[in-house]
Amino acid sequence: MRAKGLRQVTVDDVTVALRLLVDHRDGLGHARTDLLNRIHKLLLELLPGGAKKFLSAAQARTLLNTIRPRDLVGRTRRRLASELITELVQVDKKIKAANKELTELVETTGSSLQDLNGIGPSGAARLIGDVADISRFASRGHFASWNGTAPLDVSSGDQQRHRLSRAGNRRINRALHIMAVVQLRHDTEGRAYYRRKLAAGKTPMEAMRALKRRLSDIVYKQMIKDAKKAGTGPGGHVGRTLQSSAADPIPMIDTSEQSLPGPAKPQPRTRLLAAS
């Protein structure tokens, strides 16, 4: 409490709104996955071999139109599948509207996160909403510890090993994981980095972990760049200096993941009196 220059916690309406919208969007995504799973189960019982894994509502409707069961159980399954497909169409419309709203709100913040390969409206909104004030993190290492992409050192003797950290903000960690998966699917610098790690003897899991750590640094750099471009103060928002957004709690870093402190400042010593 005696420290000087502490940040004042304030409520930022934009970041709070982004968090609400992206939580709603995630909920719609979970609902869509649940509907598809139930549709797949019914189609598997109606069609030999079922349907393909990635199935749209229109494709599911087309398949269902080819089925004309005569027994009571078959007709019931077909009716239920038809109702689920109708629900899927409605959820798809809500997802489209939510993506549009997220995109428009992210654009009002002046963020360029969507310029990065693998970050869409939901990912950008999640990052802005949960991070809020990027200057809360003194370095990219602090940011990586907060989002759980900084691996933990579990070396023993001459064997240098690291393991996955399960601490930190798992929502941001998931956004970075999706970013990594998207980059691996395309010819990107992320894929080249991943392959270099494999060539160096890393396992696929270790290489993915290293890629996510690298992407965390890239996101941190981009958010710092956006803050500077907007002409903001240290608080990360226009006109703010020592303010921190209340959209997300203060970053909490486990003691095993904290960065090492800097060199201690020399302190004056009391001279010893000569013995009489």
Side-chain angles (χ1 to χ4, degrees):
M1 294 178 66
R2 296 188 296 271
K4 297 181 180 179
L6 294 178
R7 298 184 182 276
Q8 299 176 359
V9 176
T10 61
V11 177
D12 184 357
D13 291 342
V14 175
T15 54
V16 173
L18 280 172
R19 290 186 67 181
L20 290 172
L21 287 175
V22 76
D23 285 343
H24 174 63
R25 170 61 180 82
D26 287 347
L28 290 174
H30 294 319
R32 187 180 193 278
T33 301
D34 179 64
L35 285 171
L36 275 176
N37 289 338
R38 293 162 66 186
I39 291 171
H40 270 290
K41 181 179 179 181
L42 291 172
L43 289 178
L44 182 61
E45 295 168 337
L46 291 169
L47 287 171
K52 64 178 184 178
K53 182 177 180 180
F54 299 103
L55 189 66
S56 66
Q59 292 170 339
R61 180 70 69 184
T62 300
L63 284 175
L64 197 62
N65 289 336
T66 63
I67 305 171
R68 291 292 185 269
R70 297 178 179 275
D71 60 302
L72 176 61
V73 175
R75 292 197 302 269
T76 302
R77 284 173 177 159
R78 188 185 187 283
R79 178 177 58 81
L80 292 176
S82 179
E83 292 176 358
L84 290 176
I85 293 172
T86 301
E87 293 182 31
L88 181 61
V89 171
Q90 298 302 319
V91 170
D92 284 341
K93 290 181 180 179
K94 292 180 180 179
I95 289 177
K96 185 177 181 180
N99 285 341
K100 181 180 179 181
E101 189 174 5
L102 282 173
T103 301
E104 293 174 351
L105 191 55
V106 168
E107 289 177 352
T108 63
T109 66
S111 172
S112 61
L113 284 172
Q114 292 188 77
D115 294 340
L116 300 177
N117 196 316
I119 295 184
S122 294
R126 176 60 71 192
L127 285 162
I128 299 171
D130 279 29
V131 173
D133 182 3
I134 189 61
S135 67
R136 296 188 299 154
F137 307 100
S139 68
R140 61 185 184 181
H142 287 78
F143 181 62
S145 293
W146 177 73
N147 61 45
T149 57
L152 301 180
D153 187 5
V154 289
S155 301
S156 177
D158 295 333
Q159 188 178 22
Q160 300 296 320
R161 303 287 293 180
H162 294 80
R163 70 169 177 83
L164 175 68
S165 169
R166 300 191 181 280
N169 188 312
R170 306 315 298 173
R171 297 185 298 270
I172 298 298
N173 191 283
R174 178 175 178 270
L176 293 172
H177 181 80
I178 293 174
M179 184 181 180
V181 171
V182 172
Q183 291 211 7
L184 289 179
R185 290 176 179 173
H186 302 87
D187 187 13
T188 62
E189 177 58 30
R191 180 198 279 182
Y193 178 82
Y194 176 82
R195 289 178 174 174
R196 289 198 298 270
K197 288 297 179 181
L198 292 179
K202 299 288 186 182
T203 66
M205 185 177 294
E206 290 172 338
M208 173 62 82
R209 192 179 305 148
L211 175 58
K212 287 173 64 176
R213 176 66 177 83
R214 182 179 179 88
L215 294 179
S216 173
D217 292 347
I218 292 174
V219 168
Y220 177 81
K221 181 179 178 180
Q222 192 77 8
M223 296 187 77
I224 290 291
K225 179 181 177 181
D226 287 341
K228 292 180 179 179
K229 184 178 179 181
T232 62
H237 299 281
V238 178
R240 297 181 183 174
T241 54
L242 295 178
Q243 296 178 344
S244 180
S245 172
D248 198 42
I250 298 174
M252 301 301 293
I253 303 175
D254 187 78
T255 54
S256 63
E257 296 177 301
Q258 292 181 1
S259 300
L260 295 177
K265 295 182 180 179
Q267 300 293 333
R269 296 184 178 181
T270 303
R271 295 182 179 180
L272 298 177
L273 297 177
S276 56

